[in-house]
Amino acid sequence: MTDKHIYTSLVKAKKEGQKKFVVLVDPDKLSLRNLEKTIELAAEASVDYFFIGGSLIVNNMLDETLKKIKSVAPKIPLILFPGNAFQLSYRADGLLFLSLISGRNAELLIGKHVITAPYLKMSPLEILPTGYMLVDGGKATTVSYISNTSPIPANKDDIALCTAMAGEMLGLKLIYLDAGSGALNPVSESMIENVSGATSIPVIVGGGIRTPEKALANVKAGADVVVVGNAIEKDPTLIKEMAAAVHSLNSVSKV
Ligand code: 1GP
């Protein structure tokens, strides 16, 4: 366990205008060799966190992946981003306890949470209650299919804003705006601006971010945390530029 204060550090960073960059690792998609390279590059680029998860983890690599990351980059906290209730491992530091607030599937709003609560209560993981909002990214996603929910239309900033406000009022601690893995269109800057302007909790943004320019535009629009998965799986060397783009605002705000 490297960090038991993930949420405290996220809130502090938000207050100070320090932006965080996350590499999402889907244990199903990376070979162990690629994984090692990705972790080394992430450590060099001062990536802030790893999110570990996928909609379906079918190859039983979750524990192996966590073990590998811990051995190569022990200082970067590992946060589970579970696609379902089975994606649990005590090797991680924290867990996004996701409530799919953009959808109307009661199981994913509260049902699965009731089932997993006693296990999580006993676990050493830091639990991070997260309002998860799926936004239309221009193509059907696994999450949308599996969850049997429709995403928020990409141009409906008002729906996103009210959903995030309600999530915060319900006591959720983080908002995650996600266009879905490999989205054709990432979440728009205007939606990010609206959501972050209407809430005071940290806002995580991911899905379809392929360039450092878009990562930078997102933090300028108000994202506190930027998550990239697919683009880095395809080209791990992107990590450096992506992290630098997100962190570039940090030095500006420190001056
Ligand atoms: C998906 O937000 C993540 O849930 C990351 O998406 O893989 O498209 O970067 P990408």
Side-chain angles (χ1 to χ4, degrees):
M1 181 95 6
T2 54
D3 190 346
K4 275 237 181 195
H5 306 285
I6 297 166
Y7 191 65
T8 315
S9 72
L10 284 170
V11 169
K12 184 167 179 276
K14 184 176 177 80
K15 215 189 251 170
E16 295 170 355
Q18 303 291 306
K19 307 297 184 176
K20 304 278 189 187
F21 182 63
V22 173
V23 172
L24 169 66
V25 173
D26 181 340
D28 262 349
K29 292 192 185 154
L30 278 182
S31 69
L32 271 186
R33 191 180 303 157
N34 270 356
L35 176 64
E36 190 150 340
K37 182 163 185 213
T38 303
I39 307 165
E40 280 165 6
L41 289 168
E44 282 166 26
S46 304
V47 163
D48 298 284
Y49 304 99
F50 278 107
F51 282 179
I52 321 291
S55 297
L56 296 165
I57 294 185
V58 289
N59 69 8
N60 215 11
M61 284 285 287
L62 180 62
D63 249 15
E64 228 20 69
T65 304
L66 292 165
K67 210 157 87 184
K68 186 87 199 164
I69 300 178
K70 272 285 172 232
S71 70
V72 181
K75 291 200 180 125
I76 305 178
L78 303 179
I79 302 175
L80 296 173
F81 173 36
N84 60 56
F86 298 108
Q87 292 174 21
L88 182 63
S89 168
Y90 288 1
R91 289 186 194 277
D93 300 296
L95 171 131
L96 297 180
F97 198 42
L98 302 165
S99 185
L100 182 58
I101 58 174
S102 58
R104 299 295 178 269
N105 177 340
E107 277 304 304
L108 300 173
L109 280 164
I110 182 67
K112 302 284 182 203
H113 312 69
V114 174
I115 307 291
T116 50
Y119 296 96
L120 295 176
K121 183 89 179 167
M122 287 185 303
S123 88
L125 298 167
E126 180 176 346
I127 307 301
L128 302 156
T130 304
Y132 185 60
M133 294 168 53
L134 199 55
V135 178
D136 193 348
K139 69 171 197 186
T141 61
T142 313
V143 181
S144 188
Y145 176 77
I146 299 272
S147 66
N148 203 14
T149 68
S150 348
I152 295 175
N155 60 346
K156 297 289 183 192
D157 292 6
D158 50 351
I159 298 181
L161 180 158
C162 295
T163 306
M165 268 171 37
E168 181 175 16
M169 287 174 188
L170 281 166
L172 296 167
K173 303 283 195 212
L174 296 166
I175 292 293
Y176 193 153
L177 281 176
D178 197 348
S181 188
L184 297 176
N185 313 313
V187 178
S188 71
E189 282 121 75
S190 94
M191 187 178 279
I192 297 169
E193 205 174 324
N194 273 294
V195 165
S196 73
T199 51
S200 57
I201 52 181
V203 176
I204 305 169
V205 180
I209 300 169
R210 291 181 186 82
T211 62
E213 290 75 22
K214 177 57 179 157
L216 177 61
N218 284 358
V219 286
K220 282 189 175 160
D224 299 293
V225 179
V226 170
V227 184
V228 180
N230 263 277
I232 287 171
E233 272 157 30
K234 288 196 185 111
D235 177 10
T237 60
L238 259 183
I239 291 181
K240 206 173 162 190
E241 283 173 80
M242 289 276 195
V246 171
H247 292 150
S248 67
L249 236 51
N250 296 358
S251 37
V252 172
S253 66
K254 270 183 198 155
V255 175

